Amino acid sequence: MTHPFTRLSDPLTRLRVDAVRELHDPRTLATAAVLSAVHLVLNQFTIPVSQLLEVGFDFLAVAAIGYLCGPWVAGLSGIVTDLLGYILRPNGPYFPGWTLSAILVGVLYGLWLYRRPIKLWRVVLCKLNMVLLFNFLLTPLWLHITYGQSFVVLSSLRLVKNVIKFPLDILLLMLVLKTCERVRTDRR
């Protein structure tokens, strides 16, 4: 009986194996470190809308890590950026739910984008997935647990923000990912 990873003809298996190998590539880790630093810088320029609602663009760095480095490296960089981000700009008490979200965001961007062609439909579905899972479900849940705010009220506040911001996020994501696509092509 052969081990499942020895049959690398399956594209999905090949993709998983390549993503794990990225954890051992110094160039990939250096890329993730630089983009994590960019993430931390972008996080410092978050625009507060209210005490519980912010607008930021640090997701662009996370998407770039997911695209260039794969889901596992992006998930691990989520741990680093969440903990360093909390040290640099604490925004309330530390709560491990935020770290879990940071890991999941990186992993999901990696699963949607790693070694896949950049297409508008893929970027729209990826961002929609992120908005629904994180902006409407996990973030309001973490805020409810941390501050006791109403889950429904928190989700409705986010609805307005995300409807307005969604097209801009898609445009920016497409620009960043197309740039990353050129970088990846030049690296080969």
Side-chain angles (χ1 to χ4, degrees):
M1 188 167 122
T2 61
H3 191 275
F5 285 146
T6 59
R7 296 185 311 264
L8 296 179
S9 60
D10 174 34
L12 191 55
T13 302
R14 182 88 179 129
L15 194 65
R16 280 184 272 169
V17 170
D18 288 347
V20 170
R21 284 187 184 144
E22 296 284 4
L23 290 167
H24 304 289
D25 181 5
R27 190 163 52 176
T28 298
L29 297 177
T31 300
V34 168
L35 289 170
S36 293
V38 169
H39 176 266
L40 289 168
V41 169
L42 288 173
N43 189 38
Q44 297 304 308
F45 296 103
T46 301
I47 303 162
V49 176
S50 74
Q51 185 178 2
L52 300 172
L53 186 65
E54 298 177 332
V55 174
F57 297 97
D58 53 341
F59 72 92
L60 296 168
V62 181
I65 296 170
Y67 176 77
L68 292 170
C69 304
W72 315 130
V73 173
L76 290 173
S77 74
I79 296 171
V80 173
T81 56
D82 181 68
L83 296 176
L84 287 175
Y86 181 75
I87 291 168
L88 292 172
R89 190 174 71 112
N91 203 4
Y94 175 76
F95 179 67
W98 301 116
T99 306
L100 175 62
S101 286
I103 296 166
L104 291 174
V105 166
V107 168
L108 287 175
Y109 272 122
L111 291 174
W112 274 98
L113 303 171
Y114 179 64
R115 300 228 173 141
R116 298 181 191 266
I118 302 304
K119 304 283 185 196
L120 180 60
W121 66 267
R122 184 183 315 281
V123 172
V124 168
L125 289 177
C126 174
K127 187 61 184 172
L128 184 62
N129 181 323
M130 298 297 177
V131 166
L132 293 175
L133 181 61
F134 296 101
N135 294 357
F136 293 139
L137 182 63
L138 288 180
T139 298
L141 178 62
W142 302 151
L143 289 170
H144 173 71
I145 291 170
T146 306
Y147 298 109
Q149 299 291 325
S150 168
F151 184 86
V152 174
V153 170
L154 291 169
S155 292
S156 60
L157 281 172
R158 295 180 176 292
L159 179 65
V160 174
K161 173 193 125 178
N162 284 286
V163 166
I164 293 169
K165 194 171 170 263
F166 192 80
L168 177 62
D169 287 355
I170 296 300
L171 175 68
L172 292 173
L173 259 176
M174 285 297 292
L175 291 171
V176 166
L177 293 173
K178 285 294 188 179
T179 302
C180 289
E181 191 173 49
R182 283 192 297 278
V183 167
R184 172 179 279 158
T185 304
D186 292 344
R187 268 180 34 176
R188 290 184 187 166

